[in-house]
Amino acid sequence: MKQLLLSALFGALLALPATAQTRRNVFGLQIWPEAQAEVALPDNDYFLVALRGQNLTDNNGFDDPNRVLGFDERRLTLGYEHFWNEHWSIGATAAYISSYNTYALLPEVLLRHRSPIGPLTFGQRLSLERELPGARGATGKTNARLRADLEKIVSLGGLALRPRLSYEAATHVRLLRASTDPDERTIDFTSLRGEVGVRLSRLLDVTPWFAYQTQYSFALARYDEYNNITEPAGRANAVSPVVGLDVRFTFLNGQDAATRRQLPTQH
C-alpha cells in the first residue's frame, strides 16, 4: 500500500507540465489563521472542531460589505478519526464554507498511514471529497487528494518543536464525461507546505506555516482592443503564496497526554 501511494504521488508530480508551456499568474499573499479544538478519545482517536478565515491581500483595497471580519472566505470544519493501530487510521470531515454571499458543503472521507523512516515520521493521507455548492443551478464535483509529509518532534526542555514538510496534489474525479464538458488538467491543485509546530503545553499547540499553492486549468485566449489574439488559449497555472497560523487547544477528556500520539495541526 505504501508503494502504491508513493507511486501515485510521483505520478502526480510527473503529470505537471513544464513551466515554459503554461501561462503562469502569480497572485498576492493569502493569510489563513485557524483556531482548533480537539477532543481526545480512547486509543488516540479524536473529535475536531476548526474555524478558519482566509484573507486575500489582493482584495484588501476594496470595501466589500460581504467580507466578514476582513476575511474573503470562512470555513467551519467538524472531523472524527479512528486509529486501527499505530500506523493506520480512517476518518471523515465535513466543512461549511462561506465566501461573500455564497456557501458550500464539503464532506470528506480519508485513509491515513504513518510510519517511522529513521529519525523521521513519514505520513500519507488519501481522501475523497464531494463539493456541494449552495447556489441554485450549480453542480458539485468529486475530488481525490493525496498528501505526503515528513516530520520530526524535537524536545526542548518544557517545549516541543515539530518541523514538518508536506506536499499535496488533488484531481477532479469524473466517472462519466460528456463531449460538452470543459477540458481539465490531470492535476487540478498542488500545495507545498513547510511549518514548525510548537507545543507550548500538553493542551496548547501553535503552528506557523507557509505554503506555495497552485491551481491548474486551461485558459481562454486573450484579445486586444482590435480583436487580435495577444495570448493563445492553453494551460494556465495560478500561483498563490499562503501564510497561516494554526492554534490548537486539546481537551484531554481523561486521556494521558504523555502516551498520546497526536497528529500535526494540518489534519
Side-chain angles (χ1 to χ4, degrees), residues 11 39-40 46 54 57 66 93 112 123 134 143 166 174 185 191 194 214 218-220 225 229 262:
V39 180
Y46 67 87
Q54 297 182 194
T57 59
N66 293 312
T93 67
R112 191 191 308 272
N143 302 311
S166 70
R174 188 191 296 275
R185 306 277 290 276
S191 175
T214 306
F218 284 103
L220 299 176
E225 57 183 321
I229 295 179
Q262 193 167 37

Side-chain angles (χ1 to χ4, degrees), residues 144-179:
R145 293 182 177 272
L146 176 64
R147 187 172 76 212
D149 60 81
L150 282 172
E151 65 170 276
K152 180 177 175 61
I153 298 179
V154 181
S155 297
L156 294 176
L159 299 178
L161 300 182
R162 193 172 201 157
R164 178 173 170 272
L165 182 67
S166 70
Y167 182 82
E168 181 177 36
T171 184
H172 179 197
V173 178
R174 188 191 296 275
L175 299 179
L176 297 176
R177 184 178 181 85
S179 59

Side-chain angles (χ1 to χ4, degrees), residues 46 48 77-82 90-94 107-110 125:
Y46 67 87
L48 172 73
T77 302
L78 305 178
Y80 168 75
E81 192 158 348
H82 169 67
I90 189 171
T93 67
E108 176 194 43
V109 292
L110 66 95
R125 184 185 189 275

Side-chain angles (χ1 to χ4, degrees), residues 175-193:
L175 299 179
L176 297 176
R177 184 178 181 85
S179 59
T180 56
D181 290 339
D183 290 335
E184 294 179 331
R185 306 277 290 276
T186 303
I187 299 299
D188 300 302
F189 170 83
T190 59
S191 175
L192 177 64
R193 167 170 161 160

Side-chain angles (χ1 to χ4, degrees), residues 23 35 72 88 114-116 125 135 151 208 242 250:
R23 181 189 304 174
D72 300 89
W88 291 95
R114 288 165 58 81
S115 61
R125 184 185 189 275
E151 65 170 276
V242 183
T250 302

